[in-house]
Amino acid sequence: MAAISRDDVAHLAKLARIEMLPEELDHLATELGQILGAVARVQEVATSNIAPTSHPLSMSNVFRDDVVKPSLTNEEALSGAPAKVDDRFKVPQILGEE
Amino acid sequence: MSSIHLTAAEMASALSKGEVSSVELTKEHLDRIALVDGKINAFLYVDSEGALTQAEAIDKKRAKGGELSPLAGIPIAVKDILAQKGIPTTAGSKILEGWRPPYDATVISKLKAAGVVILGKTNMDEFAMGSSTENSAYGTTQNPWDLSRTPGGSSGGSAAAVAAFEAPLAIGTDTGGSIRQPAALTGIVGVKPTYGGVSRYGVIAYSSSLDQVGPFGRTVLDTALLHEAIAGHDERDSTSINAPVPQVVAAAKRLDVKGMKIGVIKELSGSGFQAGVSARIAESLELLVAAGAEIVEVSCPNFEYALAAYYLIAPSEASSNLARFDSMRYGIRIGDDGSRGAEEVMSATREAGFGKEVKRRIILGTYALSSGYYDAYYGSAQKVRTLVKQDFEKAFAKVDVLVSPVTPTTAFKIGEKSSDPVAMYLSDIATIPVNMAGIGGMSLPVGLAEEDGLPVGLQIMAPLMQDDRFYRVGATLEAALLAKWGKPILSNAPDLAAQK
């Protein structure tokens, strides 16, 4: 059974951008271990000669002509923004201090 | 005399004859919601004003003799995962609290264009992750058959609304059984169309290679009418199938299965299924034989790995899809006090905005996709997907449709499985293979389990884009069952208005 440590969960939570409380990390480490133990069964039959399926339909990319079509107005696009300034999204600082 | 107990097809006929107006029909359903929704919590938002405005417009159009579609003027409930312009849309999550989409999902546009009256948005497990609606951030939905039980999920609000006569029709989505399982647990009809059969544009994505929108109704014909109203190619969904929609309404009227071969999946029967469930399924097969069908046992040996593969594929895709909830463009934002950077605000928002199951699946998916584990988990799961598809192909070479129970048990108690994720996942064991292969499937109510008096669902599956086949079989069996019972299954449900 796949063991998953508290530190592993902390790393995954950082990758997934979810700030987690210490007790959540402990709880999830136990639960993920159980779930991984159950789902690891897929390895029993997934031999190297089987092609993977990523999607139920075999489709190729769909393109359209590069023509401007009606779309949301600026105001509509910004209507759900948690913060805005003029006609732009306002976001917290993205780059660290120089 | 109230019209809420009519089928949608009967309502359509009453509307066209002028026996009832859409405004009257809509008011009756709004009254019903006001009367019973406090007991079952099926709706997250009721749009009385919008519904009555649409109903008035349809009545005016009808009075002028305008051309109307078959479902014009008929009320519907919509799962809160479809974006509807100006109407709060949460996907059952706190992270989207207060969000009003600036556009309509294609399915919403189609419903509006067809004159269908949207009553409101229904409860669901957060981001469709769950099998009971217990993962909703806005409280659990109760099963109209027994308020101490779940209606299933994730589209539990939609199923409960239809079973409780709050709406004759509803829209759901099905990623691993989220339409078929709640339909089975509430005694109504639910269909997961072939993948790509109905547009996913404007549907908040969970697992994009599995998600599919589909209809709920109280009869096979009603479900078919809604299926045809929402199906078809959409240039805004690149996975939408560009081919004619299967003729499901005609199939639902055919009432004949003579010479059809029906395959019973060996691996989805016997031990592991509640005795009362198996008994109703066996009885249904007898009725189909009496109607002229031939029953063949088939084996799908790889189905036993499908559940494990699903719980790798769906969380993996979810971990990617849910990255869009970053608190920058819409939804809530937590901790933006000027001292924190975007990444910290994002992490604080996602911590506060996502529920336990959503976090669990994002972390699991992140793990399954991370370097060093990708081949062992996600890669292996994709191979199992190939094996499941091949099992279906081999089976459909021998038979026209496949059948199984929809769920291992009837509706379970609220709280019974919520602390054990693996036990909860098992309730999807019979529905998941369908999503893995992309084919369509129906849940048809086939009676009540003797031991608990709760509804049992039969799952009927057909090859890709042959959805008409399960409507044909479903309608035939439905007619045989109705003849046997003498009254519809929902007439056995308790009177909600009288319940405490």
Side-chain angles (χ1 to χ4, degrees), chain A residues 2-18:
Chain A
I4 185 155
S5 72
R6 187 180 186 282
D7 287 349
D8 292 337
V9 179
H11 176 63
L12 294 167
K14 191 173 185 305
L15 290 176
R17 304 288 185 270
I18 302 174

Side-chain angles (χ1 to χ4, degrees), chain A residues 19 24 31 51 53 93, chain B residues 235 304 333 342 351 360 386:
Chain A
E19 186 186 288
E24 267 187 297
E31 273 185 350
T53 297
Q93 181 188 337
Chain B
E235 61 175 20
E304 65 169 300
R333 182 184 288 180
E351 161 66 11
R360 191 186 282 141
T386 304

Side-chain angles (χ1 to χ4, degrees), chain B residues 25-381:
Chain B
L25 204 51
T26 303
K27 279 185 177 161
E28 284 174 8
H29 284 92
L30 291 170
D31 288 347
R32 175 73 178 170
I33 293 169
L35 184 68
V36 302
D37 206 59
K39 287 160 186 154
I40 60 169
N41 191 31
F43 280 87
L44 291 179
Y45 185 82
V46 178
D47 180 24
S48 309
E49 202 181 314
L52 287 168
T53 305
Q54 168 82 322
E56 266 170 45
I58 294 301
D59 284 341
K60 275 187 194 148
K61 202 169 168 187
R62 197 183 300 276
K64 280 189 197 152
E67 182 90 4
L68 291 168
S69 72
L71 293 178
I74 295 179
I76 196 168
V78 176
K79 187 178 186 180
D80 200 27
I81 199 166
L82 284 91
Q84 184 178 348
K85 191 172 180 175
I87 300 295
T89 299
T90 66
S93 182
K94 264 208 178 79
I95 209 162
L96 281 176
E97 195 162 20
W99 182 55
R100 290 177 187 251
Y103 71 105
D104 280 332
T106 296
V107 166
I108 297 284
S109 305
K110 283 188 178 237
L111 292 174
K112 286 181 175 175
V116 183
V117 175
I118 302 173
L119 295 169
K121 308 295 286 294
T122 58
N123 198 14
M124 55 182 284
D125 288 294
E126 184 176 6
F127 291 111
M129 297 182 194
S131 313
S132 68
T133 75
E134 286 167 287
N135 296 332
S136 167
Y138 304 99
T140 302
T141 297
Q142 281 80 28
N143 192 320
W145 288 80
D146 176 347
L147 300 179
S148 70
R149 293 174 192 269
T150 88
S154 65
S155 312
S158 285
V162 172
F165 299 93
E166 293 179 321
L169 300 168
I171 298 288
T173 61
D174 189 316
T175 304
S178 282
I179 290 174
R180 289 160 289 154
Q181 185 253 18
L185 302 193
T186 57
I188 64 168
V189 182
V191 163
K192 180 232 171 258
T194 289
Y195 180 86
V198 178
S199 169
R200 292 183 298 112
Y201 176 76
V203 180
I204 296 166
Y206 160 24
S207 181
S208 303
S209 77
L210 301 164
D211 295 343
Q212 185 59 62
V213 183
F216 285 104
R218 288 190 290 262
T219 68
V220 173
L221 177 60
D222 285 3
T223 310
L225 288 165
L226 180 54
H227 188 137
E228 281 197 9
I230 59 173
H233 180 245
D234 179 12
E235 61 175 20
R236 287 174 146 160
D237 175 358
S238 63
T239 58
S240 154
I241 296 174
N242 196 353
V245 176
Q247 297 295 299
V248 297
V249 173
K253 289 178 174 169
R254 193 164 158 184
L255 305 183
D256 152 45
V257 291
K258 276 187 195 71
M260 282 188 92
K261 282 191 177 168
I262 295 175
V264 175
I265 301 171
K266 199 175 79 180
E267 288 77 8
L268 294 178
S269 59
S271 72
F273 290 85
Q274 187 182 320
V277 170
S278 299
R280 291 286 88 86
I281 303 295
E283 187 181 88
S284 301
L285 295 177
E286 282 167 24
L287 288 173
L288 286 168
V289 169
E294 185 191 339
I295 305 294
V296 182
E297 190 183 75
V298 298
S299 175
C300 295
N302 296 295
F303 279 19
E304 65 169 300
Y305 300 97
L307 184 74
Y310 174 86
Y311 279 99
L312 287 163
I313 291 170
S316 296
E317 293 186 9
S319 71
S320 166
N321 268 325
L322 270 62
R324 62 168 58 84
F325 300 103
D326 57 9
S327 79
M328 299 299 144
R329 295 152 300 160
Y330 48 81
I332 61 167
R333 182 184 288 180
I334 303 290
D336 186 12
D337 54 10
S339 73
R340 302 200 209 191
E343 202 174 305
E344 282 174 278
V345 170
M346 202 182 289
S347 300
T349 303
R350 288 161 67 83
E351 161 66 11
F354 288 144
K356 245 166 70 177
E357 180 67 22
V358 172
K359 286 181 202 165
R360 191 186 282 141
R361 293 197 196 185
I362 290 175
I363 299 293
L364 177 61
T366 306
Y367 179 79
L369 291 177
S370 55
S371 95
Y373 301 102
Y374 182 96
D375 288 338
Y377 290 105
Y378 187 66
S380 296

Side-chain angles (χ1 to χ4, degrees), chain B residues 10 20 26 58 84 134 161 276 409 417 427 450 460 471 487:
Chain B
E10 288 165 348
V20 70
T26 303
I58 294 301
Q84 184 178 348
E134 286 167 287
T409 67
K417 299 181 184 194
S427 67
E450 246 161 60
I460 315 169
Y471 279 98
K487 57 181 185 179

